Amino acid sequence: MSVVRGTPAVGSLVAYLRSGEREHPVVAIARSLETGGPVLDPADVRVIVGVGPRIYYLPDVETLEALERMLGRVLALPVGGVRVWWPGLSPHSRAGEHPVVLALDGEPHARLLAEFAREFDLSRPRVRGEIGLIEDLRRLAERELSLAREQNRNMKIERHDALTRAEEAEARLREVMRQLEEKGSGQNES
């Protein structure tokens, strides 16, 4: 784990993060609001991320503020957080592509570590691509379902209209038949 303090060190970190040659994710750990040390133990994080990724600890607010100025609020690291920056980081990256996990007041260490592990696994570029494909298919299925429901509703309206017209025609036919019977019985009486 490397400790990052001061604007020049943050500048070097940001340059590395934006490097197009980077093959591994980078994990940054901020200071815990409760303990004053890292929000997660770097050794526990190493077990989750493996040997390739670099792990940085940003212990002070000034360093975190410098990071926010350079990366922007969406991709920065807040106090009490742990963030993963995957290769391909750019000013146009979305926060969900580089997830951050925040420690909640009184949250057990194991729970925060489990949430970090989950976010790390789900945000892997290969997994993100699969999830994106699944989401695209889900949106397409929802659209097709919506169209089918609309068609079904239209068919029900058409069916109801046809049934109403048929009932009206039957009522008119009964009325005409009744009138014919009345005329026929009136002629027979004369």
Side-chain angles (χ1 to χ4, degrees):
M1 174 183 76
S2 300
V3 178
V4 178
R5 283 195 174 96
T7 303
V10 171
S12 295
L13 172 59
V14 169
Y16 178 66
L17 291 175
R18 290 188 174 152
S19 167
E21 314 249 329
R22 186 164 60 94
E23 295 180 8
H24 297 286
V26 170
V27 177
I29 304 170
R31 183 178 53 85
S32 167
L33 294 171
E34 292 179 359
T35 66
V39 72
L40 282 179
D41 183 336
D44 292 339
V45 171
R46 177 62 66 202
V47 169
I48 293 168
V49 301
V51 295
R54 293 184 186 179
I55 299 174
Y56 294 92
Y57 174 49
L58 289 78
D60 55 68
V61 174
E62 294 80 17
T63 301
L64 295 173
E65 288 173 349
L67 183 67
E68 184 176 324
R69 282 191 304 276
M70 292 181 201
L71 284 181
R73 174 168 264 185
V74 171
L75 296 170
L77 174 67
V79 174
V82 180
R83 174 156 242 144
V84 178
W85 292 291
W86 291 95
L89 180 73
S90 76
H92 306 292
S93 293
R94 295 186 319 238
E97 297 170 344
H98 309 278
V100 66
V101 177
L102 296 173
L104 303 175
D105 289 341
E107 180 178 33
H109 177 79
R111 187 177 216 165
L112 179 63
L113 192 61
E115 180 61 20
F116 172 75
R118 179 181 173 281
E119 288 293 330
F120 184 80
D121 286 338
L122 290 177
S123 66
R124 292 174 187 270
R126 181 179 48 79
V127 173
R128 262 195 341 260
E130 293 285 327
I131 290 172
L133 180 59
I134 290 167
E135 283 299 306
D136 289 347
L137 291 172
R138 182 190 58 78
R139 280 191 292 275
L140 178 62
E142 283 178 350
R143 196 178 79 147
E144 288 177 357
L145 177 61
S146 177
L147 289 172
R149 284 182 175 157
E150 182 68 23
Q151 287 175 344
N152 187 32
R153 187 178 74 74
N154 289 342
M155 288 171 52
K156 283 181 179 180
I157 289 171
E158 289 174 14
R159 181 178 163 266
H160 175 73
D161 290 347
L163 185 58
T164 301
R165 285 191 305 273
E167 288 171 350
E168 289 171 354
E170 285 177 354
R172 284 193 305 271
L173 179 60
R174 280 192 301 274
E175 178 62 25
V176 168
M177 294 298 285
R178 186 188 60 76
Q179 288 174 359
L180 284 174
E181 279 182 21
E182 285 178 3
K183 282 188 177 183
S185 17
Q187 287 179 352
N188 290 340
E189 292 176 8
S190 12

